[in-house]
């Protein structure tokens, strides 16, 4: 039976169908020849009118500048003209051919067509078509000669729309051709017109890219400079791009070497790089007030690419219906015979249709992935750029962990969804077209499908409403988990010192459990949707066939398998549509989060007036009547607890916390000014307001010249010491040596094996506090700025080093600079020009030292506290200054020690280091990357992790049952419709329904089983990795950037959680389906089996070529992803410093380089995917064409006629099935890299056991507090020198021991050895008779109290920070706060103990953070207390108070106190003096003061440094 078409589709009539419904009217308007011409004619007329308007408008004028964007800045400079005449030639040629052909056809129509209404319409249409394309050709010709002339927007839109309408013409022609109702010559010309319009679409899209890249101004240098090497994609021919042959060299290299390095992968085409995409994104950012700024900007930036993919999707959609429409013709041909030409024509149409479908399908995928990649590049760049500009309140609201999630997850979700967005309309359209064609075959019975579609739609709508709520919850909890892991990694040293791993690990596990709960609900809904949608076509088949038979219809093989082919085409969109909806919902949620972040408050660049340094009498720093506040998120605390603050937003805006009031400060050029005051008085905030970091409520701030700052909390980059000091500046050897000397780094560099080539770990983790402080001071000094803002630079250095820095740096190399110094070191104040005294956020007085002593009581109190701290036994004893000086010179580094210079630096720079090979100095090694194929051990680990091999067998069994039931239903249809048996409707339907029901049940069981198996495996992998990381030694965190760990805990874990869960089940069922499909396809014409083996081998060869490359590219994607996160995390922590130095552009360029490196891997991975798919689908098409050719050419006794329809039905899906199967196996191998990477961190070397059952200390150990250290030798890693070189000391219970020594002498290392953060190489530590090396680490660390060198607060509340374990009552906490001088500050806050502590404790001063850490040990009341420079960041008055509290509260405790302030240890029972890892002195302070000693020299240096600095003037 021939396909029945509506009458209007096969005629040229222009009258509307009578009595038709609205869908019939729409179908007539878009599918009938006459309205189609009217539609294209209207497009032509609109274009002609638009062109006339464009020509008539006045020249010049200017539109909005780049300043209209939200960034208020330039973007990219205008590039050179591309110099590629190829596109222009293609455009001119195609438009000319269109115009000429229209003119010829117009003449033929006027002279040859009969005088009917059709001739009038056809002539009018051709005339308009001729004019439109003539105008297009003329426009291109005019632009060809213009330098850099871009094609007008209306021309590009015209070409794209013309191609889309041409696709509509061709689709109608295909349908008419399939039923032998071709309109001649219109339908053949429609195909020719579509082919001719495709190059114009290419030119329209690429011209759009060139125009935007060329007209958007930029922050960076031209992205397409002459020196830019040509990329394979850029240099590829039209044919090479069409067949993806441009990636052949890379695939060959990957296959030949079985491994790829990053340098083997070519760069990305400049138009596809992050800077170009970001330029377009920012230039299209909507004006203030837009609810969805990110979505609007993405659409305006990338709509040409969206239209291109839409066009390719339509072509693919049209081509995919060719095959099913031919099944009935093949069945008729083989059943009733026909001429050879008719048979060959059927085969040719089948092959052409499948070839076009293959070409369109893979370019649709590739262009969609390319669009997603460019969107991801734009979003990553925008997120990084925004993070550099966030206001303080916004930084606290989002936090580093949440922004990492925006970059890792949300940007990826949006980019993937932009490609999948077409599924929202293509899939319903595919269903509608299939139903229309089915209607032509089976009549009104097809309307029964509407019942199934309605039921499915209702179920989906209900499910997705719930799913959206689950998505929001899931994303919020996932943010919280990543944030908690980030915080834990940042403060791992403190967590290990306090034995809090289980507490913080428990918090992460609890969040993970909640996350998996929400994810389980989401995936269960997805599974239910999958079952509903995959069973939908089967239910439709049963209903339609049953209704058709009930209404008296007769089924034959042609009808049945044509119908089943169309129904199987419904399975894809119905199966994928819910996933597309879920993906789009996820993207919508992610867009909301990105909208909030990218629209959040920024630092006000206008808050500080910057005056050129050449201005004559201007003050260097001037603040008048200044009132400043920190912006604090209103609902930050609540959202932080709930874990979804970023979803709820901050609707009420930031709340202003007033900190500074009535500020009047003026510092003249060349002055050295100091700011003093008690803890929390606003000293650091004063520097922040001058840097523009605070919200200016009123007043004016002006600075004259460039600025440099040294923050109180050191910010050090991961890199060498030299790179940190240079900070992007060129090397000037002489100045570099001067800076090293002035900042007292010479001795440190000499002690380091690789000098200034020594690599610094993340956040300076392998440096002492004093070394970090002096390196960042050297960085500031080397920049040679006009104004220096120094925040407490002496807190972490010893007395001698502090004096030398003041003399050589502040009064030496910076003598002519303007310096504003925040300090607690009162003894330097005699030598500064002006002192500003602060109290409660107000500058209460300013003047010289002597003036303030007499006029300012608060200042007098500070000075008195300092002097009284020196009034201890032995200090009053006079020591000969000459003797002290002589001894000091003998025992300390000479003032002018020579710098060892290695002038063979390859860059011509200076290397302050011993002559060593630079390569061996690396601390942070390159990230480990496996090479070659993923080990079978990894597959085995994944599939057997949850339930062993039994789980695998169950999955295989259920998949075979599901495929078997599907085949059985088709064999039953074929058997019953072959005509060999008496047809019984009830038996036919009963058996068919039973088989279909069994198939649905098996499918549901398989989906659920695989899902839960995958979840269990995912949880096992996460727990193993997280446990391994928690138990890793500190050396692992010293040498591993947190980005590597976060990358595994977020992106890689997400793949295991979601992707692999489904891929394994799909791949298993698909492999079984491929085998069954090949068998069914070949059973009709068995000689085609001969072609199967070589084609299968060719498939395998292509797969092996591809996977070798794709696997390495996937690994490189993972390896290049971590540096993006590392650099962001590093920049986020140091953003105020970066802004102060004006280094935003340099850091931005580093970020771009790292993003582009990652995009390079993604781009070529996408290309490799489609390279494989294109070839595999062509091989499948070849097998189908061979089978079809044999069907029409072999004798009838070779052909099983009853299975022809079934064979073709399976064969039509074979090429895509083979591709998706192999693709799925490749995706599994690529995503198994995530399992491989997670497993790498699941087997990390572990530190000693947390608890040793055979050696548990008594509950009250240590009872006395005796400590014996015997011949202790310690090194950090096996390849580093000894830090402690044989220390032997004995400390009695209750003794107060002060530990002093130069920076880097081993003081902090001694504390780490006592806590076993580093295990001794030799020696023993005995505490109360117990060798601590035999104890479990938690048993050891939990019994000691410690205040670390750097105060650490965690995000949460005061209560959760002072008592993280929740062990103490509220009264005990208040008593501890009172003793550590914080009770009044906490009580003044409305929330009291529940007052918010922001991420990194940013809303508390460093001194307050140190006091809060002190409160912890007061609560803990350990018998042994270690204090590592615990009072370094507090003023002398507070220090004296703390020392008094220590004497009162810890009377019976053994205290080991490391300090640089000599007064801190003057009242100790004994003082331990370390130098270069050796014990130099260990005795009572009075005895050491009574004889020539290192300690006596330090005391004298400290007491007299004011005098010495004054004398040096």
């Amino acid at each position: 039976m021939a396909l029945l078409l509506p009458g209007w589709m096969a005629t040229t009539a222009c009258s509307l169908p009578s009595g038709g419904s609205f869908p019939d009217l729409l179908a007539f308007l878009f599918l009938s020849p006459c309205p189609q011409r009217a539609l294209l004619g209207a497009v032509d007329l609109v274009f002609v009118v638009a062109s006339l308007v464009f020509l008539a408008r006045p020249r010049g004028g200017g539109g909005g500048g780049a300043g209209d964007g939200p960034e208020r800045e330039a973007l990219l400079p205008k590039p050179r003209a591309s110099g590629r005449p190829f596109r222009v030639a293609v455009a001119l040629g195609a438009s000319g051919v269109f115009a000429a052909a229209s003119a010829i056809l117009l003449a033929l129509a006027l002279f040859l067509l009969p005088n009917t209404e059709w001739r009038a319409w056809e002539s009018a249409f051709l005339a308009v078509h001729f004019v439109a394309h003539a105008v297009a050709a003329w426009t291109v010709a005019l632009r060809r000669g213009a330098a850099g002339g871009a094609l007008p927007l209306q021309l590009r839109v015209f070409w794209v729309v013309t191609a889309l309408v041409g696709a509509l013409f061709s689709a109608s022609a295909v349908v008419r051709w399939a039923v032998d109702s071709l309109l001649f010559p219109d339908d053949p010309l429609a195909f020719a017109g579509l082919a001719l319009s495709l190059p114009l679409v290419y030119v329209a899209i690429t011209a759009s890219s060139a125009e935007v890249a060329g007209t958007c101004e930029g922050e960076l240098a031209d992205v397409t400079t002459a020196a830019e090497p040509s990329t394979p994609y850029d240099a590829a021919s039209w044919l090479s791009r069409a067949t993806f042959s441009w990636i052949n060299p890379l695939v060959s290299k990957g296959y030949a070497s079985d491994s790829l390095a990053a340098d083997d992968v070519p760069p990305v085409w400049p138009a596809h790089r992050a800077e170009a995409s970001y330029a377009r994104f920012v230039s299209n950012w909507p004006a203030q007030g837009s609810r969805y700024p990110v979505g609007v900007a993405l659409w305006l930036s990338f709509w040409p690419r969206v239209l291109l993919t839409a066009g390719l999707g339509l072509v693919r959609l049209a081509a995919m219906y060719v095959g099913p429409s031919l099944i009935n013709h093949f069945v008729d041909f083989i059943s009733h015979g026909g001429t050879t030409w008719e048979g060959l024509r059927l085969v040719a149409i089948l092959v052409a249709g499948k070839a076009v479908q293959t070409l369109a399908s893979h370019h649709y995928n590739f262009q969609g992935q390319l669009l997603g990649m460019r969107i991801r590049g734009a979003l990553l760049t925008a997120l990084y750029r925004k993070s550099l500009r966030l206001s303080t309140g916004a930084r606290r609201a989002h936090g580093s962990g949440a922004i990492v999630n925006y970059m890792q997850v949300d940007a990826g979700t949006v980019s993937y969804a932009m490609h999948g967005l077409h599924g929202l309309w293509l899939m319903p359209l595919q269903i509608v077209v299939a139903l229309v064609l089915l209607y032509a075959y089976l009549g009104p019975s097809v309307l029964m499908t509407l019942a199934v579609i309605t039921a499915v739609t209702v179920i989906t709508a209900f499910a997705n409403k719930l799913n959206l709520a689950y998505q929001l919850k899931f994303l919020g909890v996932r943010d919280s988990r990543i944030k908690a892991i980030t915080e834990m990694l940042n403060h791992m040293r403190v967590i290990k010192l306090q034995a809090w791993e289980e507490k913080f690990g428990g918090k992460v596990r609890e969040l993970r459990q909640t996350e998996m709960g929400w994810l389980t609900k989401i995936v269960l809904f997805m599974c239910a949707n999958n079952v509903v949608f995959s069973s939908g076509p089967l239910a439709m088949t049963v209903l339609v066939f049953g209704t058709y038979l009930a209404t008296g219809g007769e089924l034959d093989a042609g009808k049945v398998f044509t119908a089943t082919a169309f129904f199987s085409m419904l399975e894809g969109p119905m199966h994928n549509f819910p996933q597309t909806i879920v993906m789009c919902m996820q993207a919508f949620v992610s867009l909301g989060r990105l909208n909030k972040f990218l629209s959040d408050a920024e630092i006000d660049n206008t808050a500080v007036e910057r005056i050129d340094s050449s201005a004559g009498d201007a003050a260097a720093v001037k603040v008048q009547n200044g009132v400043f506040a920190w912006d604090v998120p209103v609902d930050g605390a609540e959202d932080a607890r709930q874990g979804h603050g970023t979803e709820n937003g901050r609707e009420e805006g930031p709340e202003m916390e007033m900190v500074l009031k009535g500020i009047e400060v003026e510092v003249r050029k060349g002055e050295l000014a100091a700011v003093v005051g008690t803890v929390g008085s606003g000293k650091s905030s004063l520097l922040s307001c001058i840097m523009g970091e605070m919200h200016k409520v009123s007043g004016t701030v002006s600075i004259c010249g460039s600025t440099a700052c040294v923050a109180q909390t050191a910010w050090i980059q991961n890199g060498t010491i030299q790179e940190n000091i240079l900070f992007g500046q060129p090397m000037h050897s002489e100045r570099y040596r001067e800076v090293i000397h002035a900042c007292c780094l010479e001795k440190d560099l000499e002690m380091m094996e690789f000098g200034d080539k020594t690599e610094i770990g993340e956040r300076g983790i392998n440096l002492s506090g004093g070394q970090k402080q002096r390196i960042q001071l050297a960085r500031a000094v080397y920049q040679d700025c006009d104004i220096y803002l120094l925040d407490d630079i002496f807190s972490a250095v010893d007395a001698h080093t502090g004096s030398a820095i003041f003399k050589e740096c502040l009064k030496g190399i910076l003598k002519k600079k303007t310096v504003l110094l925040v300090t607690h070191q009162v003894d330097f104040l005699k030598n500064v020009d002006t002192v500003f005294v602060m109290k409660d956020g107000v500058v209460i007085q300013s003047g010289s030292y002597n003036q303030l002593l007499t006029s300012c009581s608060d200042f007098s109190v500070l000075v008195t506290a300092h002097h009284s701290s020196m009034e201890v036994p032995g200090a009053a004893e006079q020591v000969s200054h000459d003797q002290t000086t002589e001894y000091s010179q003998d025992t300390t580094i000479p003032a002018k020690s020579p710098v060892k210079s290695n002038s063979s630096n390859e860059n011509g720079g200076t290397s302050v280091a011993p002559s060593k090979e630079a390569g061996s100095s690396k601390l942070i090694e390159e990230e480990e990357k496996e090479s070659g194929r993923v080990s079978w051990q990894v597959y085995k680990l994944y599939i057997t992790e949850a339930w062993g091999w039994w789980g695998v067998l169950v999955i295989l069994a259920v998949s075979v049952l599901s495929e078997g039931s599907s085949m059985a239903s088709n064999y039953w249809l074929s058997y019953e419709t072959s005509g060999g048996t008496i047809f019984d409707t009830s038996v036919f339907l009963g058996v068919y329904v039973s088989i279909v029901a069994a198939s649905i049940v098996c499918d549901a069981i398989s989906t659920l089983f695989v899902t839960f198996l995958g979840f269990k495996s995912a949880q096992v992998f996460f727990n193993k990795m997280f446990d391994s990381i928690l138990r890793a030694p500190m050396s692992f965190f010293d040498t591993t950037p947190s980005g590597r760990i976060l990358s595994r805990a977020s992106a890689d874990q997400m793949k295991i959680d979601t992707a692999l869960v489904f891929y394994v089940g799909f791949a298993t069922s698909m492999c079984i389906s491929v085998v069954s499909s090949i068998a069914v396809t070949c059973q009709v014409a068995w000689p085609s089996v001969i072609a199967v083996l070589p084609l299968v081998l060719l498939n395998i060869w292509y797969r092996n070529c591809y996977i070798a490359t794709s696997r390495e590219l996937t690994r490189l994607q993972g390896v290049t992803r971590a540096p993006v996160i590392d650099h962001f995390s590093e920049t986020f922590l140091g953003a105020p410093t970066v802004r102060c130095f004006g280094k935003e552009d340099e850091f931005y360029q580093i970020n771009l380089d790292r993003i582009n490196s990652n995009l390079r891997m993604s781009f070529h991975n996408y290309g490799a995917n489609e390279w494989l798919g294109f070839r595999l689908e062509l091989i499948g098409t070849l097998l189908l064409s061979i089978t079809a050719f044999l069907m029409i050419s072999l004798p009838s006794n070779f052909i099983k006629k009853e299975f022809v329809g079934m064979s073709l039905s399976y064969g039509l899906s074979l090429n895509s099935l083979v591709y998706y199967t192999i693709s799925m196996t490749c995706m599994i191998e690529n995503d198994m890299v995530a399992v491989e990477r997670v497993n790498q961190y699941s087997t990390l070397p572990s530190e000693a056991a947390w608890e040793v059952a055979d050696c548990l200390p008594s509950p009250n150990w240590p009872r006395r507090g005796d400590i014996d250290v015997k011949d202790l030798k310690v090194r950090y890693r096996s390849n580093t020198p000894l830090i402690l070189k044989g220390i032997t000391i004995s400390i009695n219970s209750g003794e107060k021991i002060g530990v002093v020594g130069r920076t880097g002498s081993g003081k902090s290392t001694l504390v780490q050895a006592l806590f076993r953060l580093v295990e001794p190489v030799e020696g023993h530590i005995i505490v109360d008779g117990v060798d601590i090396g035999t104890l479990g680490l938690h048993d050891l660390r939990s019994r000691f109290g410690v205040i670390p060198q750097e105060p650490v607060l965690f995000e949460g509340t005061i209560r959760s920070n002072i008592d993280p374990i929740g062990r103490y009552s509220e009264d005990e906490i208040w008593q501890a706060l009172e003793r550590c001088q914080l009770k009044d500050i906490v009580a003044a806050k409305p929330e009291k103990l529940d007052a918010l502590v922001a991420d990194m404790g940013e809303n508390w001063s460093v001194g307050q953070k140190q006091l809060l850490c002190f409160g912890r040990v007061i609560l803990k009341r350990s018998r042994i207390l270690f204090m590592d420079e615990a009072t370094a960041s507090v003023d002398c008055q507070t220090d004296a108070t703390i020392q008094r509290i220590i004497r009162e509260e810890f009377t019976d405790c053994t205290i080991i106190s490391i300090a640089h302030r000599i007064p801190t240890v003057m009242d100790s029972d004994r003082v331990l003096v370390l130098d270069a890892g050796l014990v130099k002195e260990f005795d009572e302070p009075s005895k050491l003061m009574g004889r020539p000693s290192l300690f006596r020299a330090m005391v004298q240096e400290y007491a007299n440094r004011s005098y010495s600095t004054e004398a040096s003037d």
Side-chain angles (χ1 to χ4, degrees), residues 796-810:
V797 297
D798 56 68
H800 169 78
T801 306
S803 296
I805 288 173
F806 190 85
K807 183 167 133 183
E808 300 291 340
C809 186
L810 272 66

Side-chain angles (χ1 to χ4, degrees), residues 696-753:
K696 185 176 71 175
V697 180
S698 63
T700 60
V701 182
S702 62
I703 56 175
C704 182
S706 56
T707 56
C709 73
V710 177
Q712 190 173 12
T713 302
W715 176 68
I716 301 293
Q717 292 181 271
N718 176 210
T720 65
I721 292 174
Q722 185 184 98
E723 289 168 349
N724 269 275
I725 294 173
L726 296 181
F727 203 46
Q729 295 293 322
M731 167 64 83
H732 298 293
S733 303
E734 187 175 343
R735 177 165 179 79
Y736 183 74
R737 281 193 288 267
E738 286 177 2
V739 170
I740 293 290
H741 173 70
C743 297
C744 300
L745 283 167
E746 294 164 320
K747 181 70 172 176
D748 299 274
L749 297 181
E750 287 172 4
M751 291 171 62
M752 294 176 183
E753 188 177 2

